[in-house]
Amino acid sequence: PWACMLLDPRSHVQDFVENPHKKVRYFVSSMVHPTTLDGLRKSNVALWGYHAHVGAGEDDVLRERLGEKTFMIGGGCSSAMRGISVLHCIGFRKFKLYGYDLNYPLTNGEVPKEWDGQLDGNGNPKYMEVEVMGKKFWTDAEKVAQAQDFIKMMDQVNDIRLETFGPGIVPHVWNSKRKMLPQFSDIF
């Protein structure tokens, strides 16, 4: 890949990049766990830092430490969604989104028995069925948040070109909300 986006502050993220590739650019949020950053530094790869705005008072800390010559990048609760904002900030305007399904495919349309009774960290059902623009999907709360980020991005950003691939939530939202261009036969 051309780049890798890192946002998550948990220490297990270092496992995702334990063998970094020299030709990949690593976009690393200032909130990543120190061990993740240390491992990348030791590998001498191309590191690009950014400050992720998450609403936890980090803007005050950065201003105190770095002064007014810094800014925060918003745009999502996941590295996948935040990555679009980071790349947009440095000039990218065309995106092809693969793996943004944000749902679990069902075999033969049936919910797996092992999902029954599983709870998330807050004591709520881990898996849930949601309806998004007339279509039902099985997903979890984290993926719902990412879908909400995508919908918000579509409503706020008008200077990017997107293509989405797959059968999931983001491609469905994109195909439901985007301005549909007329077919050739409609014009002539």
Side-chain angles (χ1 to χ4, degrees):
W2 182 81
C4 174
M5 295 290 164
L6 299 172
L7 172 67
D8 196 321
R10 296 175 289 185
S11 62
H12 74 272
V13 173
Q14 67 185 337
D15 298 339
F16 302 158
V17 291
E18 67 183 345
N19 295 309
H21 195 282
K22 298 283 186 197
K23 292 185 179 180
V24 173
R25 291 148 192 89
Y26 291 86
F27 288 84
V28 183
S29 169
S30 56
M31 64 190 257
V32 300
H33 196 275
T35 57
T36 302
L37 189 54
D38 290 345
L40 289 168
R41 280 186 179 145
K42 286 178 188 171
S43 298
N44 198 28
V45 294
L47 292 175
W48 295 38
Y50 70 97
H51 301 301
H53 187 272
V54 295
E58 66 279 357
D59 46 349
D60 294 333
V61 172
L62 287 174
R63 263 191 234 103
E64 179 183 307
R65 292 184 181 175
L66 303 174
E68 296 296 325
K69 294 183 179 185
T70 187
F71 68 96
M72 317 259 332
I73 298 178
C77 63
S78 67
S79 58
M81 290 306 305
R82 186 73 56 131
I84 295 171
S85 297
V86 170
L87 293 172
H88 182 268
C89 189
I90 62 172
F92 285 79
R93 296 298 182 263
K94 295 179 185 176
F95 298 89
K96 293 184 179 186
L97 306 181
Y98 294 90
Y100 281 67
D101 290 317
L102 306 181
N103 64 283
Y104 300 99
L106 302 179
T107 304
N108 299 323
E110 293 183 23
V111 177
K113 291 181 180 113
E114 60 269 15
W115 288 5
D116 190 36
Q118 282 197 34
L119 302 177
D120 66 15
N122 297 318
N124 299 313
K126 180 171 176 142
Y127 302 100
M128 64 188 87
E129 185 177 42
V130 297
E131 185 170 327
V132 179
M133 298 179 168
K135 189 172 179 181
K136 292 184 178 183
F137 299 93
W138 276 91
T139 190
D140 60 43
E142 288 182 8
K143 291 173 184 58
V144 168
Q146 290 179 57
Q148 291 169 336
D149 288 341
F150 181 76
I151 291 168
K152 187 175 181 181
M153 181 193 68
M154 283 187 65
D155 292 340
Q156 293 179 343
V157 180
N158 58 14
D159 65 340
I160 64 174
R161 292 181 48 196
L162 290 175
E163 288 182 73
T164 61
F165 302 89
I169 294 175
V170 165
H172 174 68
V173 167
W174 171 247
N175 288 318
S176 297
K177 287 188 67 113
R178 70 186 169 107
K179 180 181 174 185
M180 297 299 285
L181 299 176
Q183 296 291 318
F184 184 78
S185 59
D186 296 332
I187 297 172
F188 297 101

